[in-house]
Amino acid sequence: MMSVRQVLDIVLSKTECLDSEVVALREAAYRVAAEDVLAPAGFPPFPASIMDGYAVVAADGPGEYPVAGQVMAGHPAGYVQEPGQVSYITTGAPMPEGADAVVRIEDTEPSGDRVRIKVGVQPGHDVRQAGSDMAPGTLVVRAGSVLGPAELGLAATAGAGTVAVTRRPRVSVLSTGDELQPPGEPLGPGQIPDSNHVMLSAMAQRMGCDVQPRTAIAEDTESQLGQEVRGSLRQSDLIITSGGISMGEADLLPKVLTDCGAEIHCERVLMKPGKPFTFSSWQAASGDRRCVVCSLPGNPASAMVTFLLFCVPALRRMLGHQPPALPRIQVVLDSELVPDSTRPEFHRVALAWDHDLHQGKGGYRAVSTGAQRSSRLLSMLDADALITVPPGSQPLPSGSTVAAIDLRHL
Ligand code: AMP
Ligand code: MG
């Protein structure tokens, strides 16, 4: 059986970054930048006042001065300010030529048709020099980073109206099993609701994928599975199936995948839950289309854990995220964890910040989500992180510091 590391290496080696598209900045929130964005010019583009007040010649010092004019934000002065004059100026307005400092309104007073400047200031006082917030050539967005609020604001400041982003991965989600009914439908004897389709679709959507509107559920027959898989291969970058890969009579997916022309690279992983995880890839005979298929076990908690461990890095690779793996953090166990004797276990935990940990420096306490049985989806509720519990015979004691995959970065 392959290790999680070996399978992850295979998944990443068969997955490549998708091509890019150019979109308007306002459409680009939370997408992944495909190219660096540089600021061609500095910001602000002109020396600007930091305050509402009077533009002065610093060397003139305190005193009463005639007002040469007023400069409002968005409107250049259009005149030269002589020594011995001041100009009314608003925050963000360009400094009039000749002035070299600003005295804020609170430090001035009207005096007939003149203005009394009550304080002395140094040249440059309350003036934002051109390029002082951002020098020309500054890298404001790095390729592979997510276009969050700061990146979008900076790209706009740098003068960009559009940005190159990686194309959204096209993802098909297929639940398999005769027992499954769409959510909300009445259940006959032996039937259960399909929880995996909505769950896995939501995860893919949250990662920025286009989830293809195809049939959600396939029965356990070669013909129906084959029809769904064949239909999805051409339209998808990633197919996520759940169920049908264990050792039972109705576990037909590996055969169906092979019949559809996919090559299976891994059929079992040394992990708990998720042992039956199967990974395959497909390429059109013409060579112009490729697709990878992650076949997850049917049990909902197993499906979630294998999605997190294998589909997330695959999708992050397609999207061009750097790095493809989710970040790891150190956490302190809130209770003892009993390991499996042979397989590493991915234990779901909630995280709580505890000020008292690590000699008062603070840290995350990891609280188990309870029984980890693979059918118990409640173990995923409130799960902020996955702890890898190495196989062994000794429990991991409460208070141990262990590494955890931080799921809050999805
Ligand atoms: P399988 O991997 O097909 O052998 O399924 C393992 C277990 O997961 C069985 O109890 C199935 O009923 C259950 N299961 C499979 N697919 C789903 C699904 N989409 N939603 C909820 N439970 C499922
Ligand atoms: Mg099944």
Side-chain angles (χ1 to χ4, degrees):
M1 219 181 311
M2 287 187 207
S3 70
V4 169
R5 185 73 252 171
Q6 286 172 314
V7 173
L8 188 56
D9 286 346
I10 294 174
V11 169
L12 290 178
S13 75
K14 297 289 171 193
T15 312
E16 51 191 33
C17 186
L18 301 176
D19 40 350
S20 63
E21 60 189 5
V22 174
V23 298
L25 227 46
R26 62 177 179 282
E27 313 272 310
Y30 300 105
R31 304 216 31 199
V32 183
E35 292 168 3
D36 289 345
V37 179
L38 293 152
F43 188 84
F46 46 81
S49 176
I50 292 177
M51 290 285 175
D52 295 318
Y54 284 89
V56 301
V57 178
D60 287 347
E64 285 189 10
Y65 297 99
V67 179
Q70 59 175 31
V71 202
M72 315 298 276
H75 306 277
Y79 61 85
V80 178
Q81 183 179 316
E82 303 295 340
Q85 292 184 325
V86 297
S87 297
Y88 175 75
I89 193 163
T90 65
T91 306
M95 291 292 285
E97 211 184 316
D100 63 1
V102 171
V103 174
R104 58 186 185 153
I105 201 87
E106 296 92 322
D107 293 331
T108 69
E109 198 168 79
S111 174
D113 58 355
R114 296 178 155 230
V115 170
R116 194 149 76 81
I117 304 294
K118 299 197 279 186
V119 297
V121 292
Q122 295 294 315
H125 184 78
D126 277 344
V127 178
R128 268 189 309 151
Q129 299 302 343
S132 61
D133 284 343
M134 195 162 84
T138 302
L139 177 66
V140 296
V141 177
R142 201 179 298 278
S145 60
V146 175
L147 293 161
E151 288 80 3
L152 290 169
L154 283 165
T157 304
T162 59
V163 63
V165 296
T166 40
R167 169 169 77 68
R168 292 186 188 280
R170 286 186 287 259
V171 171
S172 295
V173 181
L174 182 65
S175 295
T176 73
D178 290 353
E179 72 277 33
L180 302 177
Q181 285 296 310
E185 293 294 313
L187 301 176
Q191 294 184 325
I192 58 168
D194 169 15
S195 57
N196 294 354
H197 193 273
V198 281
M199 180 171 90
L200 299 169
S201 300
M203 305 264 285
Q205 268 162 13
R206 173 155 161 199
M207 291 188 69
C209 302
D210 264 339
V211 177
Q212 304 294 297
R214 276 190 71 88
T215 320
I217 302 173
E219 285 169 12
D220 290 315
T221 62
E222 277 186 40
S223 64
Q224 211 186 105
L225 288 168
Q227 187 184 330
E228 287 308 322
V229 169
R230 227 169 255 116
S232 296
L233 282 170
R234 296 206 143 264
Q235 295 169 13
S236 318
D237 301 300
L238 169 67
I239 301 177
I240 305 168
T241 66
S242 68
I245 50 166
S246 307
M247 309 301 280
E249 296 270 310
D251 292 325
L252 304 166
L253 251 183
K255 174 170 191 310
V256 167
L257 286 166
T258 312
D259 290 349
C260 291
E263 185 189 349
I264 295 182
H265 304 291
C266 128
E267 276 193 275
R268 290 274 174 278
V269 193
L270 191 67
M271 65 183 290
K272 184 184 175 182
K275 189 169 70 171
F277 175 79
T278 297
F279 179 73
S280 50
S281 67
W282 171 89
Q283 189 157 16
S286 54
D288 61 340
R289 291 215 51 80
R290 296 161 49 92
C291 179
V292 291
V293 187
C294 287
S295 301
L296 318 182
N299 267 317
S302 312
M304 284 285 271
V305 170
T306 46
F307 181 98
L308 294 166
L309 284 182
F310 303 118
C311 300
V312 167
L315 288 171
R316 285 175 60 89
R317 164 66 49 91
M318 286 182 193
L319 285 161
H321 279 285
Q322 284 305 337
L326 287 176
R328 279 166 168 74
I329 53 169
Q330 292 219 311
V331 300
V332 174
L333 294 184
D334 192 57
S335 60
E336 169 181 288
L337 293 185
V338 179
D340 185 80
S341 59
T342 53
R343 288 180 285 161
E345 180 172 356
F346 291 88
H347 198 105
R348 283 79 80 194
V349 294
L351 298 178
W353 183 258
D354 184 338
H355 293 283
D356 297 328
L357 286 178
H358 305 303
Q359 292 85 43
K361 287 190 227 123
Y364 282 110
R365 196 174 277 289
V367 183
S368 171
T369 55
Q372 301 284 300
R373 196 160 67 183
S374 53
S375 57
R376 186 175 171 267
L377 190 50
L378 276 171
S379 67
M380 281 306 309
L381 199 62
D382 301 326
D384 298 315
L386 286 181
I387 290 175
T388 315
V389 184
S393 51
Q394 299 300 317
L396 275 181
S398 170
S400 320
T401 298
V402 295
I405 303 172
D406 194 343
L407 305 178
R408 298 167 303 174
H409 289 264
L410 266 180

